[in-house]
Amino acid sequence: MKFMKLGTRPDTFYTEEATRTVISDIPSDIVIQINDTNYLLHKFPLLPKCGLLQRLCSDSGDSDIVTIELHDLPGGEDAFELCAKFCYGIMINVSAHNFVALFCAAKFLRMTESVEKGNLVLKLEAFFMSCILEGWKDSIITLQNTSKLPEWSGLMESPESALIQLLRKSSHPSKEFYFRNKSLLKTDDSLQVAWSYTYTRPGYSKKHHHSVPKDWWTEDISDLDIDLFRCLITAIRSTYMLSPQLIGEALHVYASRWLPDTTKNRPPESSVSQTEELMEKNRRVLETIVIMIPGDRGSVSVGFMLRLLSIANYLGASPMTKAELIRRSSLQFEEATVNDLLFPLPSTSGRHSYDIDLVVSVLESLVVLWRRISPTASENSQFLVSIRKVGKLIDSYLLVVAKDVNMPVSKIVSLAEALPDIARLNHDDLYKAINSYLKEHPDLSKADKKRLCRILDCQKLSPEVRAHAVKNERLPLRTVVQVLFFEQEKGSKKQVTGCYHHQSLFETIHQLSEMIKSEKGKEIKGEGMSRSKLDPKKIITKGSRSDNSRDKGRDR
């Protein structure tokens, strides 16, 4: 942090109640009122340097004591007092922390060269150009303070251009952080850098790195107000200085800094502390970030966009914002991992269900895009690879959420059915998810069990899974019949003989049909013993049946 000292005299200002004055043998002849503070000062040191006070005093006539109200002075009492001390020759320290307020006040008071040579505005301009703009940290702090004084004017066309100047600076003997003889984007290991930035990523140590991470600047600008941040990012993008991925990283860091975390197993903030004012502020931050996401695919990760979508649902963001996040997420959905999809929903009991609706909305958006592809899309190898990646992802996700004891069966079914048939090469993973759900929900009704298992295509089960299914007492009997039928069909085609007991599939299916009928009147007891006879390895095949007979077998 760089400082500039002005003046040499000791501080002689003191306070008496709500009045500030200066120790002097000469009585005060000018009173400056700023908000609730009165300054009892003298015309002889103030007027030669302050053009505004010269004019106001001349308008007041010949009165001995002039009272002037300056309630609208930018920076308030603190900034005015620094200006007054400069006029008295009292030593003041100028830094990035008070520069903006002091500069605004000096401009307001017209402490310019046209009033007196070597005036305060000129000295501040010189400090800004030679010190503040030479330091990354000082520029960041200065920018932060501009949000408190939007009326700031003067040296730059816009506040964010200070950082643009630093980012584009290529050669200068400053000791602060920037590169020598290279631009920001042309970094290499040979660059000599004075480390003066914030970078706290896990696993990163400045001691052991001689090169500069390309996203070194992102954490520092995340401290800026959202309006300044937006202006800065917009200005950077317009210069094509940084890649879309680096812009995306800056957005990610900013979102992590300011937006609530919805990945925790508790509400991001309690309903008491989460005021509507804060919710509105967060919505504004979120919607601004979404607007700034570069259009290039891969500029941000799908996990980041899904997180933003979860936050948008929590904050009640606009439908347009949610729709854009759903659309962008669907375009990169195949790149997601299961952890990217795990967003808990808070409940009043303190237990949580995963937000399946969020995943369904993105998947349905993706399916709409798929349906717009030509009918020959299924023959496109790249399309098949992409869609089957998503199928694997969804089934793996189902296996996780199926263990949630609070998860309604309707949510599982809606997500499983949202995938087109082409997305699943087999149904083994889907079977595992269904079996896991049945295990965690032993009290599930028969109707819900049938509804759940209806999404399973027994033809797409591997022999190992079919062997497990026919002995699975959690499955509805109708599902077991279907598995047995397709096991028989597979066995008939292979003409497997010599290792089965002499019990026909027809007899087994007839037995199961009678058991299914009996379910209508009473609960079946000892079902496990009956199903023990249904091992497909113990069923002898008797050749293929007609299509008509096969259909009847399914109906049963």
Side-chain angles (χ1 to χ4, degrees):
M1 175 83 54
K2 293 189 177 180
F3 297 87
M4 176 176 67
K5 290 186 177 181
L6 298 175
T8 58
R9 294 180 57 192
D11 189 354
T12 54
F13 273 67
Y14 68 94
T15 301
E16 186 176 343
E17 295 182 351
T19 300
R20 291 281 286 165
T21 188
V22 62
I23 299 174
S24 175
D25 295 332
I26 304 173
S28 62
D29 54 4
I30 184 171
V31 179
I32 307 294
Q33 296 179 346
I34 302 177
N35 300 324
D36 297 327
T37 304
N38 291 330
Y39 285 88
L40 304 184
L41 304 175
H42 305 86
K43 294 179 184 177
F44 70 89
L46 295 179
L47 268 55
K49 297 182 184 298
C50 300
L52 177 63
L53 296 183
Q54 287 181 16
R55 183 180 64 81
L56 294 177
C57 286
S58 64
D59 293 342
S60 64
D62 298 329
S63 100
D64 294 334
I65 299 179
V66 178
T67 300
I68 298 175
E69 295 184 2
L70 295 178
H71 302 302
D72 55 345
L73 184 140
E77 302 95 312
D78 293 338
F80 172 78
E81 186 163 322
L82 288 174
C83 292
K85 287 180 178 180
F86 172 80
C87 294
Y88 278 91
I90 295 173
M91 187 177 68
I92 61 173
N93 287 323
V94 183
S95 70
H97 287 287
N98 61 12
F99 170 80
V100 174
L102 182 56
F103 183 76
C104 288
K107 292 281 288 185
F108 183 87
L109 293 170
R110 300 178 195 170
M111 302 177 70
T112 62
E113 293 300 286
S114 61
V115 177
E116 183 175 84
K117 296 297 182 183
N119 215 339
L120 182 56
V121 169
L122 179 66
K123 294 182 183 297
L124 292 175
E125 287 175 346
F127 176 69
F128 179 80
M129 297 301 294
S130 63
C131 294
I132 289 181
L133 284 187
E134 296 300 322
W136 173 257
K137 288 286 192 179
D138 287 345
S139 295
I140 289 288
I141 293 171
T142 303
L143 265 180
Q144 285 177 305
N145 286 297
T146 61
S147 61
K148 304 173 184 177
L149 294 165
E151 64 271 36
W152 186 38
S153 62
L155 302 178
M156 300 178 293
E157 294 180 0
S158 58
E160 68 274 6
S161 64
L163 295 191
I164 296 297
Q165 290 182 47
L166 274 185
L167 291 174
R168 302 192 71 171
K169 190 180 287 289
S170 59
S171 178
H172 199 280
S174 170
K175 293 182 180 179
E176 293 296 323
F177 177 76
Y178 57 79
F179 304 103
R180 292 182 182 177
N181 304 318
K182 295 283 185 179
S183 67
L184 176 66
L185 300 183
K186 297 179 180 178
T187 61
D188 60 54
D189 291 347
S190 64
L191 294 177
Q192 300 297 319
V193 179
W195 302 101
S196 180
Y197 63 95
T198 303
Y199 199 80
T200 58
R201 308 305 170 82
Y204 184 86
S205 172
K206 293 179 183 178
K207 290 183 181 178
H208 303 99
H209 289 76
H210 301 291
S211 61
V212 178
K214 290 186 178 181
D215 60 343
W216 60 266
W217 47 279
T218 55
E219 287 190 42
D220 287 321
I221 68 170
S222 70
D223 288 333
L224 298 175
D225 174 83
I226 185 59
D227 291 326
L228 282 174
F229 178 79
R230 176 184 55 79
C231 290
L232 178 60
I233 293 297
T234 301
I236 292 175
R237 290 181 63 180
S238 67
T239 62
Y240 301 99
M241 294 172 55
L242 302 174
S243 67
Q245 288 73 25
L246 283 176
I247 298 297
E249 179 62 16
L251 298 177
H252 181 274
V253 172
Y254 196 89
S256 299
R257 169 75 171 78
W258 292 103
L259 293 177
D261 187 357
T262 58
T263 62
K264 305 297 183 183
N265 287 335
R266 61 179 184 274
E269 292 190 34
S270 67
S271 57
V272 175
S273 61
Q274 187 75 349
T275 63
E276 181 55 35
E277 182 180 357
L278 180 57
M279 293 281 279
E280 179 57 35
K281 179 182 178 181
N282 287 338
R283 277 194 292 269
R284 185 163 169 268
V285 170
L286 171 69
E287 292 172 0
T288 302
I289 288 175
V290 173
I291 291 172
M292 289 192 292
I293 296 176
D296 310 70
R297 180 186 173 96
S299 59
V300 296
S301 68
V302 64
F304 175 57
M305 286 187 288
L306 290 170
R307 183 195 158 199
L308 291 182
L309 179 57
S310 174
I311 296 171
N313 290 335
Y314 170 73
L315 296 176
S318 68
M320 184 180 299
T321 298
K322 293 180 183 179
E324 176 63 10
L325 286 170
I326 290 172
R327 184 189 70 83
R328 293 291 300 268
S329 298
S330 66
L331 293 174
Q332 295 178 225
F333 199 42
E334 66 181 271
E335 303 167 10
T337 65
V338 173
N339 286 336
D340 291 332
L341 310 182
L342 299 178
F343 294 103
L345 285 175
S347 65
T348 55
S349 63
R351 306 180 72 179
H352 299 75
S353 295
Y354 291 104
D355 190 356
I356 278 192
D357 291 338
L358 181 150
V359 180
V360 170
S361 65
V362 176
L363 181 57
E364 288 176 345
S365 174
L366 180 57
V367 171
V368 170
L369 294 176
W370 285 340
R371 287 173 180 168
R372 293 175 183 169
I373 301 176
S374 63
T376 59
S378 60
E379 301 174 4
N380 186 313
S381 59
Q382 185 176 359
F383 171 79
L384 286 175
V385 169
S386 174
I387 198 173
R388 283 175 179 165
K389 276 185 179 179
V390 174
K392 278 283 187 183
L393 171 68
I394 294 301
D395 287 348
S396 298
Y397 174 71
L398 283 170
L399 188 58
V400 174
V401 299
K403 298 175 182 179
D404 183 351
V405 295
N406 294 326
M407 186 62 65
V409 69
S410 59
K411 300 289 186 182
I412 299 291
V413 172
S414 65
L415 179 56
E417 291 181 337
L419 270 177
D421 292 338
I422 196 175
R424 290 188 175 98
L425 191 61
N426 62 62
H427 277 212
D428 286 3
D429 289 339
L430 181 59
Y431 170 81
K432 293 175 184 177
I434 290 174
N435 184 49
S436 179
Y437 188 86
L438 293 173
K439 182 179 180 180
E440 296 295 331
H441 300 77
D443 299 328
L444 198 65
S445 67
K446 293 178 183 178
D448 282 340
K449 284 186 178 181
K450 293 177 182 178
R451 181 184 179 190
L452 178 64
C453 293
R454 197 176 293 127
I455 62 180
L456 196 64
D457 187 346
C458 298
Q459 296 184 79
K460 292 187 176 182
L461 297 177
S462 66
E464 294 78 13
V465 172
R466 288 199 302 269
H468 182 278
V470 295
K471 292 186 281 187
N472 190 344
E473 297 183 8
R474 301 186 186 96
L475 297 178
L477 290 175
R478 292 177 185 274
T479 303
V480 177
V481 170
Q482 290 177 356
V483 174
L484 281 169
F485 174 77
F486 290 115
E487 182 67 23
Q488 168 66 17
E489 186 179 58
K490 296 282 185 181
S492 297
K493 291 179 180 179
K494 294 180 181 179
Q495 294 295 315
V496 180
T497 58
C499 60
Y500 300 110
H501 294 294
H502 297 287
Q503 179 182 3
S504 69
L505 179 65
F506 176 80
E507 293 171 349
T508 304
I509 294 178
H510 176 72
Q511 177 187 7
L512 288 173
S513 299
E514 293 301 320
M515 294 171 68
I516 291 172
K517 291 178 182 178
S518 68
E519 283 184 340
K520 297 179 179 179
K522 62 180 181 178
E523 293 290 331
I524 297 178
K525 298 182 179 180
E527 186 178 338
M529 181 172 61
S530 299
R531 294 194 185 195
S532 67
K533 301 178 181 180
L534 306 182
D535 188 338
K537 293 183 179 179
K538 297 179 181 179
I539 301 176
I540 187 169
T541 61
K542 291 190 176 183
S544 302
R545 299 166 62 187
S546 66
D547 291 340
N548 185 46
S549 298
R550 187 179 297 115
D551 292 339
K552 289 182 179 179
R554 279 199 190 100
D555 293 339
R556 291 195 181 98

